[in-house]
């Protein structure tokens, strides 16, 4: 949400207000050839056509150094906003984690476990009999689980069998992960072939194959992991963590395979067509000059400055633009993810509830307690889904600046839909084991995902040349050159010198070393504080017990 | 609070609400008590009726609200909670009290109750944890000791200000 605010404010509004409006620049308009289909719903759904050339995507933005009367530095701001919003996200997540760690610092005090369950678990605000029944059930479950847990900790286990089963389970999980990764790779490759042969020859499935496959994998593999984990016989909290970890690995693997396949495609294009692209560049530029010349009807010699002819920008020939393509893929992925979620909720929860409620009378076994029953509201699964959604947004937002906006809209609608679904067709989870006391487990995952999501964007900023005909960085060899350009032109010269000295590797390496050492030191200090804390607690307890007996 | 109380009285007696006593059956219709498994104990503890019919006067009603509100101290709450949980009113929580307590908490249905082995185990664990002088019962100070360590107890009751 913060990303959204910053991006929207800086990039979107300035460009929209200050930059030249739609239709005035070639890169902002739909080429003539595509105009016929530009407004078709199918094309719009595919995020090409009209949407491709809108503010949504990277390719829209002009590469002029400054815009308008404020001399607003467009390319620089795009770059800085992109990098800045990611940095800001990092800071926010880390700060939240630190705050949570403070609350969590009370420690895992289970000294009066059973007594507390007994004396303090009833909620005196409950006034509704149905809620009370739910509460009774949960209290009973909690008692039973605590008893079972107590017994298990005293039980002797067959170590070897358990270990063997756990190794087997992990092996199966790895196989699943590898399988899904391969499947995605295969599917992306196939979609490239389809694209080469022209998308008109194929139906809906081929066009949306990649997104549908990814969403389906995301739906079915977690249940598979659940089944596998029954082999392992862990304590429920640990089993939950393993489950979450595997789902995490699944999504990450999927996303990364997807990215790698995309990057591969880009590199392939770049390599095969590298000379060709340079040629193509030359050809396109040559075509443009010829075409301009033809407009002048050859009456005006090349060197003189002629009044610019009013040309309809739609007719200007256009070069390829890989950033927009990447952005499109991400937007499509987000949209299909959204659709999958809605459809899953409608079918999986609502239709199932309707079926169970109405067919229960004429069915052999009790549907409500037996097989289908009402679906549980899976808290951890939903939180994970949110985290991955955010990861996708972070990855794609550099190439499609309005992606956060789309996501906010999606979040609002899915929140209302899920609220309704939960009230009307879900039952609470049977085992409520939290993965961690505070929410730090999920925040840690969020941080990790943020880091991993920004890697691809950073990689492309640093090593792939931007397209020559689209986006704010066109014409440069690398995107980050916009910073050096700004330093040269806008800051006093001594600043540039200082910066040059500071970016010397001889200075940076010792600095990194210093940071690593200080992290180590802080870690050691915090450990010793924790131990001191525990000691003090133990002392307090024994002092209290001593005082009591007098 | 006065309005709530007088609503529980039949029409004729509303004029005289300050000195009237509301019968137990009426009290149990309050939404906060309706679904509460300890409703009978609560009425009994707060009622000052000599005839033992658990009817409550306005002062009793106020007492009850103030103990369950957010502004009551932990001491007061633990004192009354102890009285509520003490089913046989002998001043300590012995095995039978604890058993009845557990049965209240697990609801009325047959499937949700604990079987006797589980019950044994549970009560054993509780006594191990809370019975400091090892006399087989939990008295008021042991109870207060345990319950004041709990992070959830500060919000016990939590009826807030009921107008």
């Amino acid at each position: 949400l913060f990303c959204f605010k910053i991006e929207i404010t800086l990039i979107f509004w300035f460009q929209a207000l200050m930059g030249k409006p739609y239709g005035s620049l070639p890169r902002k308009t739909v080429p003539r050839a595509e105009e016929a289909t530009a407004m078709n719903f199918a094309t719009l759904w595919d995020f090409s056509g009209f949407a491709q050339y809108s503010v949504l995507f990277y390719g829209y933005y002009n590469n002029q150094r400054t815009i308008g009367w404020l001399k607003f530095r467009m390319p620089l701001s795009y770059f800085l906003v992109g990098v800045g919003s990611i940095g800001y996200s990092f800071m926010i997540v880390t700060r939240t984690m630190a705050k949570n760690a403070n609350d969590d610092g009370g420690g895992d005090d289970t000294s009066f476990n059973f007594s507390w369950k007994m004396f303090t678990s009833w909620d005196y605000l409950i006034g509704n009999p149905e809620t009370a029944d739910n509460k009774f059930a949960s209290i009973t479950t909690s008692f039973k689980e605590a008893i079972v847990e107590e017994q298990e900790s005293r039980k002797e286990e067959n170590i070897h069998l358990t270990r063997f089963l756990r190794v087997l389970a992990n092996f199966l999980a790895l196989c699943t992960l590898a399988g899904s990764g391969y499947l995605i790779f295969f599917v992306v490759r196939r979609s490239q072939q389809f694209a080469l042969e022209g998308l008109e020859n194929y139906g809906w499935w081929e066009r949306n194959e990649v997104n549908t496959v990814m969403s389906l994998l995301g739906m079915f593999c977690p249940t598979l992991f659940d089944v596998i984990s029954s082999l392992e016989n862990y304590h429920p909290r640990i089993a939950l963590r393993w489950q979450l970890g595997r789902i995490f690995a699944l999504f990450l693997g999927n996303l990364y395979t997807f990215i790698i396949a995309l990057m591969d495609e880009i590199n392939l294009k770049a390599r095969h067509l590298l000379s060709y692209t340079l040629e193509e560049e030359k050809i396109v530029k040559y075509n443009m000059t010829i075409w301009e010349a033809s407009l002048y009807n050859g009456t005006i010699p090349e060197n003189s400055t002629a009044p610019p002819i009013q040309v309809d920008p739609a007719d200007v020939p256009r070069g390829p633009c890989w950033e927009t393509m990447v952005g499109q893929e991400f937007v499509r992925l987000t949209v299909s993810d959204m659709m999958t979620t809605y459809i899953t909720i409608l079918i999986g929860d609502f239709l199932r509830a309707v079926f169970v409620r109405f067919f229960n009378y004429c069915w052999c076994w009790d549907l409500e307690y037996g097989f289908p029953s009402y679906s549980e509201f899976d808290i951890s699964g939903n939180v994970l889904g949110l985290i991955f959604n955010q990861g996708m947004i972070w990855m794609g937002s550099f190439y499609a600046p309005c992606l956060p906006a789309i996501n906010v809209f999606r979040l609002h609608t899915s929140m209302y839909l899920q609220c309704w679904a939960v009230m009307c067709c879900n039952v609470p989870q049977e085992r409520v084991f939290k993965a961690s006391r505070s929410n730090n487990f999920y925040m840690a995952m969020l941080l990790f995902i943020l880091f991993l999501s920004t890697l691809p964007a950073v990689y492309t900023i640093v090593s792939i040349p931007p397209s020559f005909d689209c986006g704010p960085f066109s014409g440069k060899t690398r995107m980050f050159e916009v910073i050096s350009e700004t330093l040269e032109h806008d800051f006093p010269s001594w600043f540039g010198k200082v910066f040059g000295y500071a970016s010397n590797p001889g200075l940076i390496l010792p600095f990194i070393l210093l940071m690593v050492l200080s992290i180590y030191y802080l870690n050691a200090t915090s450990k010793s504080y924790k131990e001191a804390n525990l000691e003090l607690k133990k002392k307090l307890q024994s002092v209290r017990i001593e005082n009591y007996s007098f | 609070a006065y309005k709530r109380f007088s609503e529980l009285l039949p029409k004729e007696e509303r004029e005289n609400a300050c000195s009237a006593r509301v019968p137990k059956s009426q009290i149990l219709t309050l939404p906060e008590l309706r679904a509460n498994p300890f409703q009978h104990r609560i009425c009994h503890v707060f009622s000052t009726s000599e005839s033992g019919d658990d009817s409550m006067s306005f002062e009793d009603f106020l007492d009850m609200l103030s103990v369950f509100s957010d502004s009551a101290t932990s001491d007061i709450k633990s004192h009354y909670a102890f009285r509520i949980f003490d089913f046989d009113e002998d001043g300590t929580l012995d095995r039978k009290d604890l058993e009845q307590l557990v049965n209240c908490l697990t609801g009325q249905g047959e499937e949700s109750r604990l079987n006797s082995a589980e019950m044994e185990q549970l009560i054993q664990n509780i006594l191990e944890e809370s019975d400091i002088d090892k006399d087989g019962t939990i008295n008021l100070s042991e109870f207060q000791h345990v319950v004041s360590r709990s992070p959830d107890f500060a919000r016990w009751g939590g009826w807030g200000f009921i107008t």
Side-chain angles (χ1 to χ4, degrees):
Chain A
L1 266 173
F2 294 112
C3 273
F4 167 63
K5 279 189 209 143
I6 296 178
E7 300 229 30
I8 282 285
T9 323
L10 283 178
I11 288 190
F12 184 57
W13 287 117
F14 270 108
Q15 173 66 24
L17 293 175
M18 302 281 204
K20 296 207 190 119
Y22 172 81
S24 58
L25 274 184
R27 64 182 49 168
K28 297 189 184 184
T29 53
V30 182
R32 189 66 75 185
E34 295 179 22
E35 229 175 61
T37 55
M39 283 300 277
N40 284 353
F41 183 70
T43 337
L44 266 184
W45 186 255
D46 220 14
F47 282 98
S48 42
F50 186 68
Q52 179 174 351
Y53 294 97
S54 72
V55 197
L56 280 183
F57 292 112
Y58 177 90
Y60 178 80
Y61 295 97
N62 196 8
N63 78 329
Q64 247 183 308
R65 249 191 101 245
T66 66
I67 295 184
W69 50 272
L70 271 187
K71 291 211 183 326
F72 184 64
R73 288 171 179 68
M74 187 61 193
L76 182 65
S77 89
Y78 191 94
F79 186 76
L80 284 182
V81 166
V83 172
S85 63
I86 290 180
Y88 188 61
S89 315
F90 264 115
M91 260 183 14
I92 298 241
V93 175
T94 324
R95 218 169 45 168
T96 323
M97 281 184 73
K99 212 163 34 140
N100 280 345
N102 264 340
D103 297 333
D104 207 14
D108 218 9
D109 206 355
T110 49
S111 36
F112 292 117
N113 201 8
F114 284 99
S115 312
W116 287 346
K117 276 202 198 341
M118 180 87 117
F119 299 131
T120 59
S121 57
W122 181 257
D123 181 5
Y124 288 82
L125 286 173
I126 292 182
N128 178 357
E130 252 187 41
T131 323
D133 281 338
N134 274 343
K135 188 72 182 168
F136 286 142
S138 86
I139 291 182
T140 314
T141 320
S142 146
F143 273 143
K144 288 190 181 170
E145 276 178 350
I147 295 176
V148 165
E149 208 180 299
E150 176 85 17
Q151 285 173 347
E152 293 236 349
S153 65
R154 303 181 186 180
K155 197 170 65 170
E156 293 262 319
E157 275 181 359
N158 186 353
I159 298 268
H160 298 293
L161 182 64
T162 323
R163 276 206 195 133
F164 170 69
L165 282 178
R166 285 178 188 173
V167 166
L168 180 66
N170 278 322
F171 176 68
L172 285 174
L174 274 177
C175 285
T176 322
L177 286 175
S180 90
Y182 179 68
L183 185 63
I184 292 192
F185 197 68
F186 176 69
V187 163
V188 173
R189 273 296 153 80
R190 255 183 28 143
S191 80
Q192 290 166 18
Q193 275 179 331
F194 293 152
L196 280 179
E197 296 166 19
L199 282 174
E200 300 76 31
N201 305 338
Y202 295 99
W204 179 89
W205 171 256
E206 277 83 7
R207 277 190 233 206
N208 291 310
E209 200 177 24
V210 181
N211 308 320
T212 348
V213 165
M214 283 183 77
S215 311
L216 283 178
L217 274 177
M219 242 178 17
F220 288 120
C221 285
T223 17
L224 195 60
F225 286 142
D226 217 1
V227 168
I228 293 180
S229 74
S230 61
L231 274 178
E232 285 182 332
N233 202 12
Y234 275 123
H235 180 287
R237 181 173 291 132
I238 303 190
L240 180 66
R241 284 194 181 178
W242 273 97
Q243 170 83 344
L244 289 180
R246 285 188 187 128
I247 297 183
F248 181 75
L250 173 77
F251 274 114
L252 214 57
N254 287 354
L255 217 50
Y256 256 69
T257 322
F258 181 67
I259 295 280
I260 293 179
L262 268 185
M263 290 292 150
D264 228 15
E265 187 181 334
I266 295 174
N267 271 336
L268 211 62
K269 269 202 186 136
R271 242 180 294 128
H272 275 179
L273 314 172
L274 182 60
S275 50
Y276 181 76
T277 313
L278 287 179
E279 299 259 332
E280 194 181 281
E281 232 180 87
K282 286 188 212 146
I283 290 180
V284 173
K285 287 191 180 142
Y286 185 60
N287 279 343
M288 285 203 239
T289 10
I290 292 204
W291 173 78
E292 272 178 5
S294 71
L295 286 177
Y296 288 114
N297 284 333
T299 49
I300 304 176
E302 281 177 16
N303 296 345
S304 65
T305 48
I309 295 191
Q310 296 303 83
V311 177
D312 189 0
D315 289 326
V316 176
R318 303 297 315 281
C321 189
W322 62 265
E323 292 96 346
T324 307
M325 188 191 77
V326 172
Q328 274 176 317
E329 290 293 326
F330 272 109
V331 177
R332 279 191 214 132
L333 196 62
T334 311
V335 170
S336 86
D337 199 35
M338 179 167 81
M339 302 290 27
T340 316
T341 317
Y342 291 168
I343 294 183
T344 317
I345 292 182
L346 281 178
I347 297 187
D349 290 355
F350 183 61
L351 280 188
R352 184 164 147 183
V354 163
F355 177 71
V356 169
R357 178 62 70 93
F358 291 120
F359 279 84
N360 207 8
Y361 301 118
C362 45
W363 206 263
C364 342
W365 67 86
D366 190 354
L367 283 176
E368 281 186 9
Y369 288 108
F371 160 57
S373 77
Y374 298 106
S375 50
E376 285 184 351
F377 182 67
D378 183 12
I379 298 181
S380 53
N382 275 303
V383 175
L384 262 191
L386 267 181
I387 294 183
F388 284 112
N389 180 35
Q390 190 59 41
M392 271 193 321
I393 301 298
W394 272 322
M395 253 200 237
S397 59
F398 191 72
Y399 301 109
C402 284
L403 192 56
I406 299 181
N407 198 42
V408 168
F409 169 71
R410 169 233 167 108
L411 284 177
H412 278 322
T413 49
S414 81
M415 181 186 81
Y416 286 117
L417 183 68
Q418 285 197 308
C419 256
W420 166 78
V422 163
M423 286 297 134
C424 128
C425 13
N426 276 345
V427 293
Q429 257 181 326
E430 274 181 14
R431 334 193 94 184
V432 195
F433 264 100
K434 287 178 108 180
S436 71
R437 268 281 218 71
S438 63
N439 286 320
N440 250 358
F441 182 69
Y442 294 118
M443 289 313 258
M445 271 182 26
L446 195 63
L447 191 64
F448 191 51
I449 290 227
L450 173 56
F451 173 66
L452 289 177
S453 318
T454 53
L455 276 186
V458 171
Y459 175 73
T460 52
I461 290 181
V462 174
S463 53
I464 300 190
S467 312
F468 75 93
D469 192 25
C470 67
F473 305 116
S474 58
K476 303 194 175 47
T477 36
R478 292 279 184 273
M479 289 190 205
F480 57 80
E481 281 180 10
V482 71
I483 293 199
S484 41
E485 204 183 280
T486 318
L487 278 179
E488 274 171 33
H489 292 168
D490 296 326
F491 284 103
S493 54
W494 56 263
F495 205 82
K497 263 194 228 155
V498 169
F499 215 71
Y501 286 141
S503 57
N504 187 358
L507 213 57
I508 291 195
L509 279 178
F511 184 64
I512 295 184
L513 200 60
L514 184 66
M515 285 205 297
V516 168
L517 284 176
S518 58
I519 290 181
Y520 176 70
Y521 169 71
L522 287 172
N523 203 14
T525 330
S526 91
K527 251 196 221 150
S528 70
Y529 281 148
K530 263 196 201 155
E531 278 170 25
N533 223 358
L534 273 172
E535 286 289 329
L536 283 174
K537 265 197 206 158
K538 277 192 205 149
K539 249 197 187 169
L540 260 183
Q541 259 213 335
S542 54
V543 164
R544 272 195 212 117
I545 294 190
E546 272 176 25
N547 283 342
Y548 167 77
S549 39
F550 289 114
Chain B
Y2 185 67
K3 212 164 66 151
R4 295 288 297 274
F5 186 70
S6 56
E7 276 166 13
L8 292 175
L9 289 173
K11 273 224 157 73
E12 321 75 69
E13 298 188 34
R14 281 201 194 152
E15 301 306 308
N16 221 7
C18 288
S19 47
R21 300 195 76 90
V22 175
K24 183 169 168 181
S25 47
Q26 281 292 91
I27 307 242
L28 293 182
T29 59
L30 278 175
E32 292 83 5
L33 286 182
R34 210 165 29 201
N36 196 315
F38 302 115
Q39 40 183 229
H40 302 286
R41 287 296 307 157
I42 294 178
C43 283
H44 187 81
V45 164
F46 286 103
S47 155
T48 53
S49 140
E50 292 94 21
S51 55
D53 63 353
D54 289 346
S55 60
M56 288 172 71
S57 70
F58 187 55
E59 283 99 29
D60 301 336
F61 189 70
L62 278 182
D63 273 342
M64 182 173 74
L65 288 189
S66 70
V67 167
F68 279 102
S69 79
D70 288 332
S71 46
T73 65
S74 154
D75 270 347
I76 294 187
K77 286 190 185 185
S78 53
H79 181 89
Y80 275 94
F82 185 77
R83 283 182 64 192
I84 290 176
F85 294 149
D86 188 9
F87 284 83
D88 51 11
E89 304 207 335
D90 56 357
T92 60
L93 299 180
D94 59 6
R95 288 195 102 99
K96 286 196 299 305
D97 287 329
L98 293 176
E99 267 184 42
Q100 272 186 297
L101 189 53
V102 172
N103 282 331
C104 275
L105 280 175
T106 54
Q108 303 307 319
E110 270 318 304
E111 323 72 58
S112 60
R113 293 205 160 188
L114 299 181
N115 63 37
S116 51
E118 288 167 342
M119 182 75 78
E120 259 314 300
Q121 177 76 32
L122 180 60
I123 298 200
Q124 192 58 40
N125 286 333
I126 293 181
L127 287 175
E128 267 172 28
E129 282 174 358
S130 322
D131 189 11
I132 302 181
D133 57 2
K134 304 293 174 214
D135 62 353
T137 65
I138 302 181
N139 61 27
L140 179 60
S141 352
E142 285 164 349
F143 181 76
Q144 283 180 325
H145 181 237
V146 169
V147 140
S148 57
R149 301 280 106 66
S150 159
D152 294 324
F153 192 69
R155 287 177 273 111
W156 195 77
W159 287 0
F161 181 68
I162 304 181
T163 43

